[in-house]
Amino acid sequence: MRVIATIEEFRAARAALHGTVGLVPTMGYLHEGHLSLVRRARAENDNVITTIFVNPTQFSPAEDLARYPRDLPRDLALLEAEKVDLVFAPDVAEMYPPGFGTFVDAGPITAPLEGAARPGHFRGVATVVCKLFNITTPHRAYFGQKDAQQTLVIRRMTLDLNLPVEIVVCPIVREPDGLAMSSRNVYLNPEERRAATVLFRALQAAQDRFRAGERNGDALRAAMRAVIDAEPLARADYVSVADLDDLHELEEVTSRALASLAVRIGTTRLIDNCLLEVRGERREARGER
Ligand code: PAF
């Protein structure tokens, strides 16, 4: 496994790869969720590239860029064990040199939910992912369903800009108690960690109501909010039952919907989601949309 920090050196190493390339873009501090993407990429491609870059343009000034967890030696050991071929780990100046001025805006899909709560976030995500696609020129790129809106933004950008990359979305990986794996889980103290299961419990409440026949969007959102409100350490940022394609809030779920939520546990903001589907709920487990 080669670890490369400059675009020029990376392009040379990429040019020497033969066959298909699967890309797993990450911000590091890897967990089983990331590794599930790497394994899927390994299974489906001749070569696997992982990028590790904590992208400053997707953090607002009020967010956790400075304290975002980092552990490059540990990340590299994990990737080596997964037989990754190339790791691209640039610094900020390599990705955003003086004079950098071009950004990618994927349009209305960036507006609701995470986009409303984190202005500018998806502009930073789309920009860095577009740059990473151009630098690594993968055949396929792997993203986690946990960041559901991010996957829609990246699909939109890929389609709109005619980027020759297949986007593969992989299922959420959860801790045994249901908490979705996230690098930010490390911020939680033991009491907060216990409270953080509220996200999964709220989604389960929506799913239970849905399976019992509830199709009203407000009722499903209220079911999630009631679970969050009952947890003293939790504060809901939003709860949503939205259209799977454009994320507008649904009055009634006719076939499928994305139930999603963002919750603050102390100072840590966590997100999670699940698919609500009239028939075949098992599709979510296979990461299909
Ligand atoms: O999902 C992430 O870790 C990041 O948003 C990504 C896609 C690596 C872009 O910085």
Side-chain angles (χ1 to χ4, degrees), residues 114-170:
E114 287 302 288
R118 306 179 66 189
H121 171 66
F122 287 122
R123 181 178 184 254
V125 169
T127 301
V128 81
V129 171
C130 186
K131 284 168 67 66
L132 292 171
F133 283 0
N134 286 332
I135 294 164
T136 63
T137 62
H139 296 85
R140 302 186 183 89
Y142 295 79
F143 297 90
Q145 170 65 19
K146 187 175 83 67
D147 297 303
Q149 189 174 7
Q150 171 171 283
T151 68
L152 297 181
V153 168
I154 290 166
R155 280 189 197 282
R156 182 78 264 156
M157 172 191 77
T158 306
L159 200 66
D160 290 352
L161 299 184
N162 311 103
L163 304 179
V165 185
E166 181 190 336
I167 305 302
V168 183
V169 178
C170 302

Side-chain angles (χ1 to χ4, degrees), residues 31 146 172-175 177-183 185 196 199-200 270-273:
H31 50 66
K146 187 175 83 67
I172 296 173
V173 178
R174 298 183 180 281
E175 301 283 359
D177 64 4
L179 178 66
M181 299 242 178
S182 164
S183 302
N185 292 350
L199 284 89
F200 184 60
L270 300 175
I271 60 173
D272 201 349
N273 69 82

Side-chain angles (χ1 to χ4, degrees), residues 26-208:
T26 81
M27 297 206 298
Y29 214 72
L30 305 178
H31 50 66
E32 276 300 315
H34 296 113
L35 297 181
S36 74
L37 307 181
V38 172
R39 288 172 196 140
R40 175 92 175 258
R42 182 73 278 166
E44 295 181 353
N45 300 277
D46 299 313
N47 304 278
V48 178
I49 294 172
T50 301
T51 63
I52 299 177
F53 179 62
V54 182
N55 174 38
T57 64
Q58 68 189 76
F59 291 78
S60 77
E63 287 182 336
D64 57 346
L65 173 63
R67 71 166 186 147
Y68 195 83
R70 293 163 168 87
D71 190 345
L72 188 60
R74 179 177 161 277
D75 289 345
L76 296 179
L78 290 168
L79 295 176
E80 179 99 62
E82 299 298 336
K83 303 192 175 359
V84 166
D85 298 278
L86 295 181
V87 176
F88 180 52
D91 65 15
V92 173
E94 184 71 11
M95 292 296 277
Y96 298 108
F100 183 90
T102 305
F103 287 87
V104 179
D105 180 344
I109 193 64
T110 67
L113 306 179
E114 287 302 288
R118 306 179 66 189
H121 171 66
F122 287 122
R123 181 178 184 254
V125 169
T127 301
V128 81
V129 171
C130 186
K131 284 168 67 66
L132 292 171
F133 283 0
N134 286 332
I135 294 164
T136 63
T137 62
H139 296 85
R140 302 186 183 89
Y142 295 79
F143 297 90
Q145 170 65 19
K146 187 175 83 67
D147 297 303
Q149 189 174 7
Q150 171 171 283
T151 68
L152 297 181
V153 168
I154 290 166
R155 280 189 197 282
R156 182 78 264 156
M157 172 191 77
T158 306
L159 200 66
D160 290 352
L161 299 184
N162 311 103
L163 304 179
V165 185
E166 181 190 336
I167 305 302
V168 183
V169 178
C170 302
I172 296 173
V173 178
R174 298 183 180 281
E175 301 283 359
D177 64 4
L179 178 66
M181 299 242 178
S182 164
S183 302
R184 289 187 168 94
N185 292 350
V186 73
Y187 298 150
L188 302 168
N189 67 32
E191 209 187 340
E192 291 170 341
R193 170 65 187 79
R194 180 201 51 73
T197 59
V198 75
L199 284 89
F200 184 60
R201 288 186 278 119
L203 291 171
Q204 278 185 314
Q207 215 145 32
D208 288 348

